[in-house]
């Protein structure tokens, strides 16, 4: 801020007022002693000004002819016990050289910049709070996690509803829709951020929707009864179901627990695509769909707003005109949108970034665990770490519903779907990824290399850490009666829930651990060397904790390392022409 802005005379050099405090290393505002001082104390200096300096301050000069400025910072106080500097001619050492005009200007500019930075920071905070007011949240109780962790793998259920809100959306489908789960993508991001999988769930998939506890407007809880053999899209909106009901349905179908959800309606497509100045898509043939009003030439087109929405909504322009072909088109579009949002053209354009921030926050409804803009920023930054070539789009493997003569719905393909679900649940990439730590990977694999003890020498304590009730007792009986592990004990509940079964052991028990891992079909990554415990007889025992991945006594727990050959998949880095 300049001198005039502080009520001072025009003829004062503002550069004279900012000096470097050698004790603090910071620039401070200094005034001559002849001017009135503010009541606000300023930083102290290690020594008082020189007598010569005081004499100069007392003498009339251009810099001291000023009107009162009560709001300015006072001069420094002299430290108690520190003597005044000696008068001229008796000063010890070198005298301090006078600052150059250029240096004064630099110091003054630095002080002004400090005020600017404070203003910008304050404005940034206010803008952040503004964006936070854009985001809508839904409390879905224990269906979602209460917070977001940047250190773990995470699953976000992305829901596109067919709810008609906003001008211009009345012409799409059912005007009276309560907002069903029209588009559904379970996004899994790996723990090491090397890969991600976007699993589309067909809206016409026949599922069992479980009972669902929802929070009402008055704060009360209401359990909405589940329904069997219904379309997946009825897991939202039907009977007052919220996004938590859709999350629970996903777990029922796939065995994968969504951690959070993000939901948007038709307007989101319009606003997001307009915010980035359009998304480029490709079609293998010219399109003229009177139902969605989509008209496109063969080849590439850049779509935004109404056209982008029509592209996603059309069902009669691609493949067999069914929902599965429309899912492929949606995946292509989302890949193109992600490339555009993370492109240099967007990230280096402040106007686009602000438009994108406004559009994204206004478009979203999320669970309370990620309801803050700062948390949504963390989610985006973690996803940004994943290379686009390792973001895989795929669909739940399905077959036509055998109960229908005229096929309108689908059911889960039990031959290939379990492998897909297992890979996502166990954090396995659908693409070839470069391992960050090859040595660590080799060390993990080495846990299974070496000698094995006899089954009768394996001493193990078994706990239930998330497996179905009775799993620990079932495993104990199987190990003792079928596999000859007679020195095994079942010690009940572990007091914690694990997504994966673990086997903990000390180094001198490695041969026992390898034998038990063989019997259990346990991957090397789930073996945890380092410690064991004393059993009821006071003897060292390895610790087997059964997690949520437990499939039954004798059922191997090994994880698939690659996806089935015949499933549909595409990656976010490549553009594919829809046909």
């Amino acid at each position: 801020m300049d001198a005039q802005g502080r009520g001072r005379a025009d003829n004062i050099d503002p550069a004279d007022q900012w000096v470097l405090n050698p004790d603090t290393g910071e620039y401070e505002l200094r005034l001559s002693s002849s001017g009135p001082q503010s009541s606000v104390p300023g930083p102290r200096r290690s020594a008082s000004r020189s007598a010569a300096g005081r004499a100069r301050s007392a003498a009339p000069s251009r810099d001291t002819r000023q009107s009162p400025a009560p709001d300015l910072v006072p001069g420094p106080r002299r430290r108690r016990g520190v003597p005044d500097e000696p008068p001229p001619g008796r000063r010890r050492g070198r005298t301090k050289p006078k600052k150059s005009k250029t240096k004064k200007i630099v110091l003054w500019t630095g002080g002004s910049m400090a005020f600017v930075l404070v203003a910008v920071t304050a404005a940034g905070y206010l803008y952040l709070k503004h964006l936070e007011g854009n985001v809508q949240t839904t409390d879905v109780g224990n269906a979602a996690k209460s917070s977001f962790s940047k250190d773990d793998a995470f699953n976000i259920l992305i829901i596109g509803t067919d709810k008609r809100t906003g001008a211009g959306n009345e012409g799409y489908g059912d005007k009276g829709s309560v907002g069903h789960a029209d588009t559904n993508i379970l996004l899994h991001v790996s723990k090491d951020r090397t890969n991600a999988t976007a699993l589309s769930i067909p809206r016409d998939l026949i599922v069992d929707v479980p009972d669902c506890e929802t929070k009402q407007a008055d704060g009360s809880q209401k359990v909405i009864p589940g329904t069997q053999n219904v379309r997946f899209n009825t897991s939202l909106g039907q009977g007052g179901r919220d996004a938590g009901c859709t999350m629970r349905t996903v777990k029922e179908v796939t065995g994968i627990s969504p951690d959070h959800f993000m939901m948007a309606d038709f307007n989101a497509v319009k606003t997001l695509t307009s915010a980035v100045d359009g998304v480029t898509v490709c079609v293998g043939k010219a399109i003229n769909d009177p139902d969605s009003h989509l008209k496109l030439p063969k080849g590439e087109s850049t779509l935004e707003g109404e056209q982008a929405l029509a592209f996603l909504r059309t069902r009669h322009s691609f493949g067999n005109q069914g929902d599965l072909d429309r899912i492929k088109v949606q995946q292509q579009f989302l890949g193109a949108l992600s490339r555009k949002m993370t492109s240099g053209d967007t990230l280096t354009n402040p106007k686009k970034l602000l438009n994108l921030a406004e559009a994204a926050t206004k478009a979203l409804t999320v669970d309370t665990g990620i309801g803050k803009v700062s948390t949504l920023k963390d989610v985006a930054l973690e996803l940004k770490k994943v290379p686009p070539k390792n973001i895989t789009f795929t669909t739940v493997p399905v077959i036509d519903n055998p109960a229908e003569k005229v096929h309108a719905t689908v059911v889960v393909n039990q031959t290939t779907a379990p492998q897909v679900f297992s890979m996502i649940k166990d954090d396995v990439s659908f693409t070839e990824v470069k391992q960050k730590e090859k040595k660590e990977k080799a060390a993990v694999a080495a846990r299974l290399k070496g000698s094995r003890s006899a089954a009768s020498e394996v001493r193990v304590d078994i706990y239930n850490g998330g497996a179905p009730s009775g799993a620990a007792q079932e495993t104990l009986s199987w190990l003792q009666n079928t596999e000859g592990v007679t020195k095994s004990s079942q010690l009940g509940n572990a007091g914690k829930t694990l997504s994966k079964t673990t086997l903990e052991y000390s180094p001198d028990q490695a041969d026992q651990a390898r034998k038990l891992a063989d019997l259990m079909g346990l991957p090397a990554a789930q073996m945890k060397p380092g410690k064991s415990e004393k059993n009821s007889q006071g003897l060292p025992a390895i610790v087997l904790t059964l997690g949520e991945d437990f499939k039954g006594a004798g059922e191997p727990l090994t994880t698939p390392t690659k996806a089935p050959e015949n499933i549909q998949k595409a990656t976010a880095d490549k553009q594919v022409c829809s046909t």
Side-chain angles (χ1 to χ4, degrees), residues 309-422:
L309 180 57
F311 182 77
L312 292 178
R313 293 293 302 163
T314 183
R315 296 190 63 172
H316 305 293
S317 302
F318 307 106
N320 61 9
Q321 302 185 10
D323 192 47
L324 295 180
D325 287 295
R326 188 174 68 158
I327 285 175
K328 295 178 185 177
V329 172
Q330 292 171 346
Q331 291 173 349
Q332 180 212 137
F333 182 86
L334 288 174
L337 178 59
S338 68
R339 290 193 296 273
K340 188 63 178 288
M341 290 172 67
T342 57
S343 69
D345 180 53
T346 299
L347 296 178
T348 59
N349 187 319
K351 184 176 185 296
K352 282 187 181 180
L353 284 176
L354 290 177
N355 289 342
L356 188 56
E358 288 285 352
T361 51
K362 287 179 180 178
L364 290 177
T365 299
V366 301
D367 60 274
T368 53
I370 56 173
K372 292 186 176 180
V373 170
S374 57
T375 308
L376 290 173
K377 176 206 68 177
D378 289 340
V379 174
L381 290 177
E382 292 305 305
L383 182 56
K384 189 176 181 295
K385 295 177 182 178
V386 183
K389 67 178 182 179
N390 290 330
I391 300 177
T392 302
F393 289 97
T394 188
T395 305
V396 172
V398 296
I399 57 174
D400 289 331
N401 187 353
E404 296 174 337
K405 291 183 178 179
V406 178
H407 298 305
T409 60
V410 293
V411 296
V412 171
N413 184 340
Q414 295 299 336
T415 302
T416 53
Q419 186 173 345
V420 171
F421 299 156
S422 179

Side-chain angles (χ1 to χ4, degrees), residues 549-565:
D549 62 341
F550 179 77
K551 303 172 183 176
E555 290 288 328
L557 294 172
T558 50
T559 302
T561 57
K562 58 185 299 186
E565 294 293 334

